[in-house]
Amino acid sequence: MGLTYQSTQNSAMTDLYHVERKEGQYVIALAGNPNTGKSTVFNELTGLHQHTGNWPGKTVVNARGEFTYGGKENILVDLPGTYSLFASSVEEEVARDFICFGGSDAVIVVTDATCLERNLNLAFQVMELTTKVVLCINLIDEAKKKRIYIDGKGIEKELGIPVVMCAARSGIGMTELKEAVIKVARGEVTPAPKLVEYSPKVEKYIHELHSKLSDICDGVPARWLALRMLDGDEKLYQTMASHIGGERLEETVQAAGINVGEVQFEKEMLRDEISEAIYRKIEELKGKYMNEESASNERDRKIDNIVTSRRFGIPIMFLCLAVVFWITIAGANVPSALLAAFLFGLEDKFIQLFHFLHVADWMTGVVILGLYRTLAWVVSVMLPPMAIFFPLFTILEDLGFLPRVAFNMDHLFKRACAHGKQCLTMIMGFGCNAAGIVSCRIIESPRERMIAILTNNFVPCNGRFPTLIAIASVFLITGSSGGIVPALAVSFMIVIGIGVTLLVSFLLSKTILKGIPSTFTLELPPYRVPKIGRVLYTSMIDRSIFVLKRAVVVAAPAGAVIWILANVSIGDASLLTHMAEFFDPFAKVIGLDGFILLAFILGLPANEIVLPILLMAYLANGSMMEYDSLKALRTVLTDNGWTYLTALNTMLFSLLHWPCATTLMTIRKETGSVKWTIVSAVLPTAIAILVCFTTTCIAKLIYLIF
């Protein structure tokens, strides 16, 4: 529809960030750097009574919740974690615009007591935007362990804003924080932030622009706006234009003699000067009010010297990966078997019930042998590995190991012209590619985020692990190797997937997604003991159940369709067999057969049903089946012409082929583009076909030679 009259009025930006509130409710914004415990503060204040969504027009998740103080309910808005408000990323833009135009009654800036000097940079920037600021110094318990002593009262006096010392994980200081922020919102306490003074040259320009801009500020501090105009922040200029009206802003800017974007100061130099002045002030505060014993961080430094070193960093990372897979594979077997026994045991009961009710055989087949059996397969195969993998992943995350993995991998992704954070999204993709796609939001650059989305499929998800593990165990492993060898074999496939990811990222960045790799600030958090309660909640509710629910919704109806294809015959063969014969000539060229290719196509709804479909098609028994043992599986496969080459190509095709339907739907939602969704399906498929064709040609060449 384009711009409308209403959308260009003074209230446009206010409406964009408008928060519905009841009479008497205060809106409190929560800002802070990543890894400061901001989410913990949010959860402690709201008691997990929250809902999430996207900012209007942005792919940045917000969370809003309510907290009660003095018998009255108030709204808490969790802003995206950001290091500054210079708005070089979507997160910074959203945080800045909400503080400017969101109409919040107060802002809490959360900082980490163990690295306060780094976090105060954002606090000073927020203080330039609004006077209603409360500084929350979180993790004081961690600081105490590290023998870091902070004089909160001294900092409060020096900054001119309320300062509250907290340990949100233990609930320490939460009541005081509520009291402080509500007093500020009510106006019972009036903070008087003591702002940083910049160089005389900058201050002179600010002074000159201040009076000219004060008429159009409309709630935004003129000093801060003058700084941004000097900075030539064109995005802010556009935002202000939509807030106060483009013509009015243009007239004022012209009258002030400001040329936005090519002004009096070179942007980088000005930002450096601002940052330098702020950090000088922070150093002054640190000298006066913070005391850190030199040996306090010695343990973390010693660990980091090994974990992030060029020699040991990546080997340690792969060792951890192998151990996590080994625990997942070995640990999932028993619960998976128990779950399968229970669910397939119910199947017999349901069939008896249907017979008792005289339900037609075809209906019993569609509902029980098709829909229910698929459901049982997906739940018994997916849930146990996810229930083990996601908590392990979250523990590594809580421990502070994952940011160090990103640090170690950054130079490899940099060489591939991609973003270092891409490896974090890949790690999430091991559990579920759809979850990995969603996690790409942590990458600020749209170009690099798109590369991460398009390549996330090259790491195998839980749905593909059963196929990889079963085939590796049957064909690639000999002798009594125990559980570790299948884990190593699958780990090798993952190494291939990472290699393909880097190669494709490089090719994309040199062709359809050209651009310069962006730098990013990665703050290495201190090593912390994980909170088991939060780990279980985050892993089971936010990840395992969420992913399983989406897979079930897609896979269960597909089971009914597949049963119909296997049981409706034309001539002397089922539709499933006719379709396999159609694909067979092409499949043979890439070292597979028509049934394998068909199983992958019909497995589009969920990768975990590929192997059952394949067995059902081979045995033509009209319904999905369980394979009793690896030996029985090997017999079925070899009887249908499988060789070591077929096994290798099936594993490679499983690793590299198109994403499942759930992942494709997630890509469509995240990119908002049908074109990129199609690319995300065609690109890996083409690579899978090329790789399998290459291995087949090499194998045939070797056969001819020897």
Side-chain angles (χ1 to χ4, degrees):
M1 293 176 63
L3 291 176
T4 63
Y5 174 81
Q6 185 63 36
S7 71
T8 55
Q9 296 309 293
N10 291 359
S11 60
M13 283 303 297
T14 309
D15 288 344
L16 188 66
Y17 289 100
H18 178 67
V19 178
E20 291 287 343
R21 64 170 92 184
K22 299 172 188 170
E23 189 177 349
Q25 276 188 326
Y26 293 113
V27 175
I28 310 298
L30 192 66
N33 290 181
N35 297 315
T36 56
K38 187 163 69 73
S39 297
T40 310
V41 171
F42 179 84
N43 291 336
E44 282 294 322
L45 287 177
T46 62
L48 295 177
H49 300 310
Q50 56 179 287
H51 63 274
T52 59
N54 278 349
W55 296 97
K58 315 281 185 185
T59 55
V60 179
V61 170
N62 67 46
R64 297 179 189 183
E66 288 83 34
F67 71 93
T68 304
Y69 179 78
K72 290 188 176 180
E73 206 173 64
N74 303 282
I75 298 171
L76 188 65
V77 180
D78 191 12
L79 301 179
T82 176
Y83 292 99
S84 80
L85 298 177
F86 281 133
S88 56
S89 72
V90 179
E91 285 80 1
E92 291 172 3
E93 189 183 334
V94 165
R96 180 201 67 190
D97 287 350
F98 187 85
I99 295 172
C100 280
F101 311 115
S104 57
D105 298 292
V107 179
I108 299 173
V109 179
V110 181
T111 55
D112 182 346
T114 63
C115 49
L116 188 59
E117 62 274 23
R118 289 198 293 250
N119 298 167
L120 282 176
N121 177 39
L122 179 68
F124 275 108
Q125 291 185 33
V126 174
M127 284 161 55
E128 286 182 331
L129 256 178
T130 175
T131 58
K132 294 186 172 184
V133 185
V134 174
L135 182 68
C136 167
I137 301 179
N138 190 28
L139 297 168
I140 56 170
D141 50 347
E142 295 285 339
K144 191 176 178 183
K145 288 178 188 172
K146 293 175 180 291
R147 299 181 182 179
I148 299 172
Y149 304 102
I150 299 171
D151 179 359
K153 289 294 177 189
I155 293 175
E156 180 174 296
K157 185 180 176 184
E158 196 75 32
L159 295 183
I161 60 173
V163 173
V164 182
M165 309 288 278
C166 296
R169 291 197 298 177
S170 310
I172 297 171
M174 289 294 99
T175 304
E176 291 81 355
L177 182 61
K178 287 182 187 178
E179 184 180 1
V181 76
I182 293 301
K183 280 186 176 179
V184 169
R186 285 178 183 161
E188 293 174 5
V189 171
T190 307
K194 296 178 182 176
L195 304 180
V196 173
E197 283 193 17
Y198 302 111
S199 69
K201 183 181 176 184
V202 174
E203 290 292 340
K204 179 173 175 288
Y205 273 111
I206 292 174
H207 181 72
E208 289 176 358
L209 294 177
H210 190 281
S211 58
K212 297 170 183 173
L213 294 172
S214 56
D215 291 340
I216 62 166
C217 285
D218 202 16
V220 179
R223 177 184 169 84
W224 181 82
L225 186 58
L227 265 174
R228 298 283 76 78
M229 290 295 180
L230 289 175
D231 184 28
D233 191 334
E234 293 185 44
K235 280 189 176 178
L236 177 70
Y237 184 84
Q238 294 164 7
T239 305
M240 286 296 297
S242 64
H243 181 59
I244 66 173
E247 288 185 10
R248 188 179 172 209
L249 179 64
E250 187 66 30
E251 288 171 5
T252 306
V253 166
Q254 284 182 3
I258 302 169
N259 299 313
V260 177
E262 45 176 300
V263 254
Q264 301 84 344
F265 292 88
E266 202 275 317
K267 182 185 288 188
E268 295 299 327
M269 285 183 62
L270 179 66
R271 290 185 177 184
D272 287 346
E273 188 172 324
I274 291 172
S275 297
E276 197 178 324
I278 289 176
Y279 278 106
R280 268 203 306 273
K281 181 68 179 175
I282 292 171
E283 280 298 317
E284 186 184 321
L285 283 175
K286 184 180 177 184
K288 285 183 180 176
Y289 305 110
M290 288 179 256
N291 181 20
E292 179 179 355
E293 292 185 12
S294 58
S296 61
N297 291 322
E298 200 58 31
R299 183 203 63 179
D300 283 9
R301 290 195 188 101
K302 284 180 179 176
I303 297 174
D304 279 340
N305 286 340
I306 299 171
V307 173
T308 61
S309 69
R310 285 189 177 273
R311 178 179 295 180
F312 301 111
I314 290 181
I316 288 174
M317 183 187 74
F318 278 107
L319 182 63
C320 283
L321 187 68
V323 170
V324 166
F325 282 130
W326 177 68
I327 295 173
T328 302
I329 292 168
N333 283 335
V334 174
S336 189
L338 291 174
L339 204 52
F342 171 72
L343 293 173
F344 286 108
L346 285 180
E347 180 184 300
D348 296 334
K349 304 292 183 189
F350 286 136
I351 290 175
Q352 290 173 13
L353 177 65
F354 272 48
H355 286 166
F356 175 76
L357 297 173
H358 302 294
V359 176
D361 287 346
W362 69 268
M363 180 62 80
T364 304
V366 170
V367 176
I368 304 298
L369 300 180
L371 192 149
Y372 177 79
R373 184 170 283 192
T374 306
L375 193 67
W377 258 98
V378 171
V379 173
S380 60
V381 170
M382 282 188 74
L383 185 57
M386 284 198 299
I388 296 173
F389 180 83
F390 280 137
L392 291 175
F393 182 85
T394 311
I395 285 172
L396 291 177
E397 191 178 15
D398 271 20
L399 199 60
F401 181 72
L402 293 189
R404 284 153 177 95
V405 170
F407 179 85
N408 290 333
M409 293 291 289
D410 180 50
H411 67 285
L412 290 177
F413 282 96
K414 192 76 75 183
R415 287 183 182 178
C417 298
H419 201 288
K421 288 182 183 176
Q422 190 173 330
C423 78
L424 291 177
T425 68
M426 289 171 61
I427 293 171
M428 185 64 81
F430 284 130
C432 171
N433 290 136
I437 298 299
V438 173
S439 70
C440 291
R441 294 173 181 179
I442 64 173
I443 299 175
E444 293 84 358
S445 159
R447 182 190 74 86
E448 290 162 332
R449 190 186 312 133
M450 186 62 74
I451 291 176
I453 287 173
L454 294 178
T455 56
N456 192 272
N457 182 61
F458 296 125
V459 290
C461 63
N462 271 334
R464 283 179 280 173
F465 278 134
T467 304
L468 294 175
I469 293 166
I471 296 174
S473 302
V474 168
F475 281 93
L476 302 181
I477 309 302
T478 57
S480 56
S481 52
I484 190 68
V485 178
L488 291 175
V490 176
S491 297
F492 179 69
M493 296 303 293
I494 289 163
V495 172
I496 294 175
I498 293 172
V500 173
T501 299
L502 291 170
L503 179 62
V504 174
S505 297
F506 178 78
L507 294 175
L508 286 172
S509 66
K510 295 297 179 186
T511 53
I512 58 176
L513 289 170
K514 285 182 181 177
I516 300 170
S518 62
T519 56
F520 76 105
T521 306
L522 179 65
E523 190 174 333
L524 295 181
Y527 291 100
R528 295 171 184 151
V529 178
K531 300 290 283 186
I532 298 302
R534 196 188 77 83
V535 166
L536 291 177
Y537 177 85
T538 305
S539 306
M540 294 306 297
I541 305 299
D542 280 4
R543 293 175 181 169
S544 301
I545 300 300
F546 176 71
V547 172
L548 184 66
K549 182 182 171 186
R550 290 204 300 191
V552 164
V553 167
V554 175
V561 174
I562 293 165
W563 185 90
I564 293 170
L565 291 174
N567 286 273
V568 175
S569 298
I570 297 178
D572 58 351
S574 67
L575 286 175
L576 206 62
T577 303
H578 284 297
M579 292 168 70
E581 288 173 351
F582 173 79
F583 290 116
D584 199 60
F586 174 73
K588 287 283 174 56
V589 173
I590 59 173
L592 305 175
D593 66 31
F595 286 102
I596 300 172
L597 196 53
L598 179 63
F600 279 112
I601 293 171
L602 294 178
L604 175 67
N607 285 307
E608 40 282 292
I609 61 176
V610 168
L611 201 54
I613 293 172
L614 180 62
L615 294 175
M616 182 171 67
Y618 277 149
L619 298 175
N621 67 350
S623 64
M624 290 192 192
M625 61 159 289
E626 295 175 85
Y627 50 91
D628 298 324
S629 65
L630 292 178
K631 187 178 177 183
L633 176 61
R634 183 186 174 94
T635 302
V636 172
L637 298 180
T638 52
D639 286 350
N640 283 275
W642 276 51
T643 63
Y644 283 99
L645 177 63
T646 316
L648 177 61
N649 281 339
T650 305
M651 291 180 71
L652 288 170
F653 199 84
S654 177
L655 175 73
L656 303 172
H657 77 298
W658 56 79
C660 71
T662 306
T663 305
L664 287 172
M665 286 193 296
T666 306
I667 292 172
R668 169 71 180 84
K669 187 177 178 184
E670 292 296 311
T671 62
S673 164
V674 174
K675 181 189 78 174
W676 286 115
T677 308
I678 293 172
V679 172
S680 69
V682 172
L683 180 68
T685 304
I687 291 171
I689 291 172
L690 180 65
V691 169
C692 289
F693 177 72
T694 304
T695 57
T696 305
C697 290
I698 292 172
K700 287 179 178 176
L701 187 63
I702 292 173
Y703 179 77
L704 287 174
I705 295 174
F706 297 99

